[in-house]
Amino acid sequence: MVESYWCLFIYYLHLSSIIASGLSLFTIVVSSIGGTYAFIKQKTIDYKLFVVIISFILPGIIIGNC
């Protein structure tokens, strides 16, 4: 489930919609990285498979960002 905090940022912090969307994306990325780290630490995630998946995802992110 993807959580979206942009409504919270707009209504309670009185931010513009673009800044709230960016802050929401940052929050989701940080929580995802924290969860992934916790699962790797518990050895729930196969580290080698994680590296393979990330090696395919990162170039797509970089190319899509251009």
Side-chain angles (χ1 to χ4, degrees):
M1 181 172 110
V2 177
E3 298 176 7
S4 181
Y5 299 108
W6 64 269
C7 292
L8 172 79
F9 293 139
I10 289 174
Y11 293 120
Y12 292 112
L13 299 178
H14 305 290
L15 298 176
S16 69
S17 60
I18 294 175
I19 293 175
S21 296
L23 194 54
S24 174
L25 180 62
F26 176 75
T27 305
I28 291 168
V29 167
V30 168
S31 65
S32 297
I33 290 171
T36 302
Y37 176 73
F39 283 135
I40 288 174
K41 197 171 179 182
Q42 294 174 358
K43 299 192 189 290
T44 306
I45 294 177
D46 183 15
Y47 182 72
K48 291 179 184 178
L49 179 62
F50 177 73
V51 170
V52 168
I53 291 172
I54 289 297
S55 67
F56 286 113
I57 291 174
L58 285 179
I61 291 171
I62 293 169
I63 292 170
N65 193 22
C66 294

